[in-house]
Structure formats: C-alpha cells, structure tokens
C-alpha cells in the first residue's frame, strides 16, 4: 500500500546573515570583525591602565594613557590593593561685606557634606556632584608644594578652579563674598568593632590661603551686578 506523504516545499526561507546578498554579507562580516578587534583592544588597554606596573605598561605607558584619557579614565586600582582608610572632606568659609557696609566672616561650611546629601537616595547623581570637588582638590594638591606654592601654570589654574567652586557654593550667603578660604579635614576611619586595632580618629586640618574674589570668579548674574564688573 502506497503511503501518500506531503511533499516538502522546495524553497526554504533562509534567515540571518545568509539571507543577505553576498556584498552585504561581506560588509557585515568586516564590520563585525572591526568591532571585535576594537573591543579586544579597548579591554586590553583598560586592563593595562588599571593593572599594577609591569613591563608592558612601562614600555607602552604613553600609548595606554593616550587611549584611556580622558574618555575612559579609571580611578581605582585592580583588586584595590590600597583601600582608603580616611574620609577627606572639604570645607569653605567666606569673608563677607554686608549691606550696611560692614564685614563679617562666615563659619566653616562642609562642601563635601552638600555633595553627599545631593547623592544620597539619588539613582542618577551628576558627575559634578560625585567628582567635581574631589578632583579639584586633587588637582590643587598635586600642583602645589606643602606651603601652597603653585608649580607653574597648572598650579595657578588649580587655584582659580578651586576659588570659583567655592564662590559658586557660597554665593547664597547674605552679603557680598570678598574673600574665600578652604581647608581639608581628614578623619581616619575607625577600626571595626570586632578588631583589637586602636585607631586615632581625631581629625586633622590643612588650611588653604585666603583668596581674594575677582569679578571673573563670580557666577554670571553676580558679575553683572558686582562693582568690579564695571571696572
């Protein structure tokens, strides 16, 4: 007895890359290959950037830095060999001229605490809230001597940057900001309760010099209304 079975269709639908014509297949294959090579090179460069110093980084360190900075900068070390054991905050105060022509000096204002408050419970904090103040202080300290002598143009630029950040943060104080001063406060992280280690948690302070505020340091609106703006 003959069995009648359905005849399979002669033409099968072909999906994916094989459905494309040969020129498109070649273009897509080349694009995938280039993307794969780029991904491998990028991962290798980032790994060398965060890895401990080795023969490759000593020989090709400049090439690695040129690839990473500034778009792909990493601020942590592989496996965190030296975890931070201190909390460093930045505080500022201002010398103000009041509306009656007198003057006063404000108390110290914790700028780092302001950033922490803005970041807490914020699922998408801004880059400025997370890094502006910290990077500015690092920039200043790395371009100044212990007695706050600037090292060339970078040192002077870091002073202007820090001064403008302070003026922007203190602009809401009543009165006109004439001079500003910053300081860093370093507080050692106490040892955990289960540890027998004894840690001195007393804060240490490093005062910056008093800086005179110029018209260029003030926010745009304040520049227009400032007496210096017309000079």
């Amino acid at each position: 007895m003959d069995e009648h079975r359905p005849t399979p269709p002669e033409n099968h639908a072909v999906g994916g890359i094989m459905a494309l014509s040969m020129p498109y297949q070649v273009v897509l294959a080349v694009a995938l290959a280039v993307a794969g090579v780029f991904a491998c090179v990028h991962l290798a460069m980032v790994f060398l950037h965060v890895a401990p110093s080795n023969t490759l980084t000593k020989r090709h360190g400049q090439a690695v830095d040129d690839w990473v900075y500034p778009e792909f900068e990493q601020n942590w070390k592989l496996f965190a060999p030296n975890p931070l054991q201190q909390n460093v905050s930045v505080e500022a105060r201002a010398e103000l001229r009041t509306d009656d022509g007198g003057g006063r000096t404000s108390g110290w204002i914790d700028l780092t605490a302001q950033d922490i408050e803005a970041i807490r419970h914020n699922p998408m904090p801004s880059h400025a809230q997370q890094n502006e103040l910290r990077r500015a202080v690092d920039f200043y300290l790395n371009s100044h001597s212990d007695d706050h002598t600037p090292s060339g143009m970078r040192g002077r630029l870091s002073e202007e940057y820090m001064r403008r950040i302070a003026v922007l943060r203190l602009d809401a104080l009543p009165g006109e900001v004439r001079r500003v001063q910053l300081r860093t406060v370093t507080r050692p992280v106490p040892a955990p309760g289960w540890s027998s280690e004894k840690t001195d948690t007393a804060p240490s302070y490093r005062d910056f010099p008093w800086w005179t505020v110029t018209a260029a340091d003030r926010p745009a609106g304040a520049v227009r209304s400032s007496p210096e703006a017309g000079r």
Side-chain angles (χ1 to χ4, degrees):
M1 184 176 180
D2 295 334
E3 296 182 358
H4 297 283
R5 298 179 180 177
T7 303
E10 295 181 358
N11 296 324
H12 297 276
V14 180
I17 190 173
M18 300 306 296
L20 302 175
S21 62
M22 182 57 66
Y24 285 105
Q25 291 183 30
V26 172
V27 171
L28 184 57
V30 171
L32 291 174
V34 171
V37 171
F38 176 84
C40 291
V41 171
H42 177 69
L43 290 175
M45 289 294 191
V46 172
F47 175 81
L48 291 174
H49 177 68
V50 301
S53 179
N54 55 69
T55 302
L56 284 176
T57 55
K58 291 178 180 178
R59 182 176 300 176
H60 305 291
Q62 186 59 50
V64 173
D65 289 344
D66 290 342
W67 180 276
V68 171
Y69 293 109
E71 288 84 2
F72 308 114
E73 181 180 0
Q74 303 292 324
N75 298 110
W76 46 270
K77 300 292 186 179
L78 190 64
F79 307 125
N82 298 310
L84 293 177
Q85 297 180 338
Q86 298 172 328
N87 288 320
V88 181
S89 59
V90 181
E91 298 179 350
R93 63 178 177 175
E95 185 179 279
L96 303 162
R97 185 171 65 184
T98 57
D99 294 338
D100 60 3
R104 71 180 184 88
T105 301
S106 71
W108 289 103
I109 299 173
D110 193 336
L111 305 184
T112 301
Q114 294 178 350
D115 287 344
I116 294 174
E117 185 62 28
I119 292 170
R120 184 175 287 116
H121 307 306
N122 184 352
M124 293 184 293
S126 70
H127 181 75
Q129 290 168 342
Q130 298 178 79
N131 297 311
E132 179 187 61
L133 190 60
R134 176 180 60 83
R135 296 296 302 277
V137 172
D138 287 344
F139 182 25
Y140 178 89
L141 295 178
N142 290 332
S143 58
H144 283 74
S145 63
D146 292 340
D147 62 353
H148 297 280
T149 301
S151 56
M153 179 61 72
R154 285 179 58 83
R156 292 190 290 274
L157 286 174
S158 69
E159 286 183 13
E160 293 180 8
Y161 189 37
M162 287 294 303
R163 191 169 64 244
R164 293 179 184 183
I165 290 175
V167 172
L168 184 63
R169 299 289 190 93
L170 300 174
D171 187 56
L173 292 174
E176 182 184 4
V177 178
R178 308 296 293 174
R179 295 200 304 164
V180 295
Q181 184 185 28
L182 294 99
R183 70 179 181 183
T184 57
V185 185
T186 303
R187 297 178 175 87
V189 177
W194 48 262
S195 174
S196 59
E197 180 182 357
K198 301 299 182 182
T199 305
D200 182 6
T201 58
S204 60
Y205 300 87
R206 179 177 179 181
D207 292 345
F208 292 16
W210 278 99
W211 291 325
T212 300
V213 176
T214 67
D217 298 326
R218 303 180 188 278
V223 169
R224 289 192 293 271
S225 61
S226 173
E228 289 91 338
R231 296 179 183 175

